[in-house]
Amino acid sequence: MSKRVIAITGGHGVLGRAVVEAALADGLSVAVIDHASGQSAPEGVLELGGVDLTDAASAKKAIGAVVAHFGRLDGLLNIAGGFVWQTTDDADPAWAKMFALNLTTALNASRAALPHLKASSEGRIVNVGANAALKSAAGMGAYAASKAGVHRLTESLAEELKDTSVTVNAVLPSILDTAQNRKDMPDADPAKWVAPSDLARVMLFLASPASRAITGALIPVTGKV
């Protein structure tokens, strides 16, 4: 049997790279779909750069390229997204931008992948929501609302696919331990944050056949806070 194939959107970000590394260590076949172009990927990884996942046709073309290359698709990990801290009275509201980057990308990639995931005996979709979307705070409205949309997409799609072998779940991380977050929050204790490698392991479990009994779950991954 050929190896399971997973597509990772936003695979060149900090979390995306951690998931790619862990997936390769697990012996999976990996495709990276990212808006960035000209990026290097580990040997054996299918690199699809310059993809605008906010455009449904572009998402469909990218997923089609993955299936054409590997002959199948077993899992989709929707990591592509963005973050803006902004109060509601900002002169240039970022709500549309946040919904496009966080929700529309996940929706378009999922819709494009569904026919192929249904053809797999163990199809999986794993989305990245946010713990901050459970209860928003000042300056977090646009981001939290878009991630709440990811939560609802996860739940509704899971229900729609109950009669198939495809499961849909989401992880809800708190603050990730990244170089940028350490720079932005120098007085915080990063030991209480979530290591990208730890979040990657949770996501890959949800993308594996072992998670067949879990669907529609919103799983907090909040470190030691």
Side-chain angles (χ1 to χ4, degrees):
M1 181 179 295
S2 59
K3 296 189 293 185
R4 283 177 62 80
V5 176
I6 63 169
I8 302 169
T9 73
H12 288 310
V14 174
L15 176 57
R17 291 195 297 269
V19 174
V20 169
E21 181 179 339
L24 292 174
D26 284 352
L28 302 176
S29 295
V30 178
V32 168
I33 302 172
D34 205 290
H35 188 265
S37 58
Q39 302 291 314
S40 60
E43 184 178 355
V45 172
L46 175 63
E47 156 68 20
L48 298 172
V51 180
D52 180 8
L53 290 172
T54 67
D55 177 70
S58 296
K60 185 175 181 179
K61 181 178 179 181
I63 293 295
V66 175
V67 176
H69 182 83
F70 290 111
R72 60 189 284 182
L73 180 64
D74 301 290
L76 172 66
L77 281 68
N78 284 313
I79 299 175
F83 173 80
V84 170
W85 189 96
Q86 181 187 78
T87 56
T88 306
D89 61 354
D90 190 281
D92 184 22
W95 288 68
K97 177 181 179 180
M98 286 292 92
F99 272 81
L101 291 178
N102 292 321
L103 179 57
T104 303
T105 56
L107 173 62
N108 286 342
S110 297
R111 283 170 53 86
L114 274 177
H116 310 291
L117 295 176
K118 289 178 179 178
S120 169
S121 60
E122 298 283 357
R124 302 284 182 265
I125 295 176
V126 184
N127 295 322
V128 178
N131 194 62
L134 298 178
K135 180 177 173 58
S136 192
M140 297 288 285
Y143 173 77
S146 67
K147 286 296 189 178
V150 174
H151 299 177
R152 303 292 82 81
L153 170 64
T154 300
E155 293 169 334
S156 61
L157 189 52
E159 287 298 317
E160 292 166 12
L161 296 171
K162 277 286 185 70
D163 293 333
T164 76
S165 64
V166 181
T167 65
V168 189
N169 295 289
V171 292
L172 278 56
S174 55
I175 301 172
L176 292 183
D177 186 2
T178 67
Q180 187 62 52
N181 282 337
R182 288 188 179 219
K183 179 181 178 180
D184 292 342
M185 294 174 277
D187 297 327
D189 181 4
K192 294 182 178 180
W193 297 349
V194 178
S197 58
D198 289 337
L199 182 56
R201 296 308 326 168
V202 178
M203 294 184 70
L204 287 175
F205 167 72
L206 293 172
S208 75
S211 68
R212 65 177 57 91
I214 306 171
T215 193
L218 306 177
I219 300 177
V221 185
T222 56
K224 299 177 181 178
V225 176

